Structure formats: C-alpha cells, structure tokens
C-alpha cells in the first residue's frame, strides 16, 4: 500500500504543478484509503456469490414448497370436482326418476280422464235414450188422450 501511495504522489507531482506537498500527500492518502484491494474485492464478491447462492437455494426450496402446496390444492380441487360431478350425476338420475314417475302419473291421469270422458259420454247417451223414450211415450200418451177425447166427444153427440 505504501508503494501505491508513493507512486501516486510521484505521478501526480509530475503531471501537475504542486503548490503544497502536504496537501498532495493527504489527497493521495484519502484516495489510497478509499481504494479496495483486489484481495478484499475478491473476498467481498465471493461472499456475495455465496449469499446469492444461499438465496437462490432458499428461493428454489420455497418455490418447491409453493408448487407442492399448489399441487395439494389442485388435488383437493380435483377430488371436490369429482365429488361434485358424482353428486351432479346422482341428482340427474334422481330428477330423471322423478320425471319418469311424473310421466307415469300423467299417463295414468290421462287414462283416467279418457275413462271418465267415456263414462260421461255413455251417461249422456243413456240420458238421450231415456229422453227419446219419454218423448215417444209422451207423444203416444198425447195421441191416446187426444183419441180418447175425440171418441168421448163423438160418443156424446151420438
């Protein structure tokens, strides 16, 4: 280090006009004290490289932990998705069964409705038949009473 200080003083005094030798010496000392030696620089960079390696190792470890966590979350999601799909399939089957029962009941209701319509039509036919019989009977009785009245009137005049 002393050699460096003496070399700098000599070179600067040759290059510039020196008014104060002490001032030049202090300036060179400040420069030399603030300079870093190659060995110190190598040690510092080696320490920084080690710190970076440790940091990278820790980052990789944390990334692996995060990846494992995401994989676990993804697996749980897949399991829940499978359960949901199974539940959805079960619900679809249930709704299909309910729908089929509804269709069966609807068919029974339609058959019952058809049967009731047929019975009402038969009932209407019977009422129409009875109405026709009563109409014929009333005409026959009216004709009979009319003939009886005419006979009684004719017999009264005779």
């Amino acid at each position: 280090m002393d050699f460096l200080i003496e070399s700098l003083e000599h070179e600067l005094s040759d290059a510039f006009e020196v008014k104060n030798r002490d001032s030049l010496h202090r300036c060179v000392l400040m420069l030399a004290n603030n300079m870093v030696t190659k060995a110190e620089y190598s040690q510092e960079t080696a320490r920084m490289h080690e710190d970076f390696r440790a940091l990278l190792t820790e980052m990789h470890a944390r990334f692996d932990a995060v990846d494992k966590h995401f994989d676990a979350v993804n697996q749980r999601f897949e399991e829940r998705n499978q359960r949901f799909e199974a539940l959805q399939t079960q619900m679809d089957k249930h709704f299909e069964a309910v729908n089929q029962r509804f269709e069966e009941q609807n068919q029974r209701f339609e058959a019952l409705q058809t049967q009731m319509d047929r019975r009402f039509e038969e009932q209407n036919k019977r009422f129409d038949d009875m109405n026709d019989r009563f109409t014929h009977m009333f005409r026959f009785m009216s004709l009979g009473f009319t003939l009886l009245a005419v006979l009684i009137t004719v017999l009264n005049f005779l």
Side-chain angles (χ1 to χ4, degrees), residues 25-116:
H25 183 68
R26 284 191 306 271
C27 181
V28 169
L29 277 175
M30 282 194 296
L31 277 173
N33 286 336
N34 287 329
M35 287 182 130
V36 177
T37 64
K38 191 173 185 178
E40 289 174 353
Y41 176 76
S42 296
Q43 283 179 343
E44 284 294 318
T45 54
R47 261 190 270 142
M48 283 176 44
H49 284 292
E50 287 175 20
D51 290 344
F52 281 135
R53 283 190 189 109
L55 245 162
L56 283 173
T57 305
E58 185 177 342
M59 283 174 57
H60 284 297
R62 289 189 186 219
F63 284 146
D64 289 342
V66 168
D67 286 344
K68 287 178 184 176
H69 176 72
F70 281 143
D71 288 341
V73 168
N74 195 21
Q75 186 175 359
R76 281 185 291 194
F77 175 75
E78 287 297 323
E79 290 170 358
R80 287 183 181 155
N81 194 21
Q82 288 173 353
R83 283 189 300 209
F84 175 75
E85 287 175 358
L87 183 63
Q88 185 70 34
T89 305
Q90 183 182 7
M91 286 175 59
D92 288 344
K93 287 179 183 177
H94 175 72
F95 282 131
E96 286 174 10
V98 167
N99 202 13
Q100 185 162 352
R101 280 187 293 214
F102 175 75
E103 288 295 325
E104 290 170 359
Q105 287 179 351
N106 193 24
Q107 288 174 354
R108 279 191 237 137
F109 176 75
E110 287 176 359
L112 188 64
Q113 185 70 33
T114 305
Q115 184 183 11
M116 286 175 59

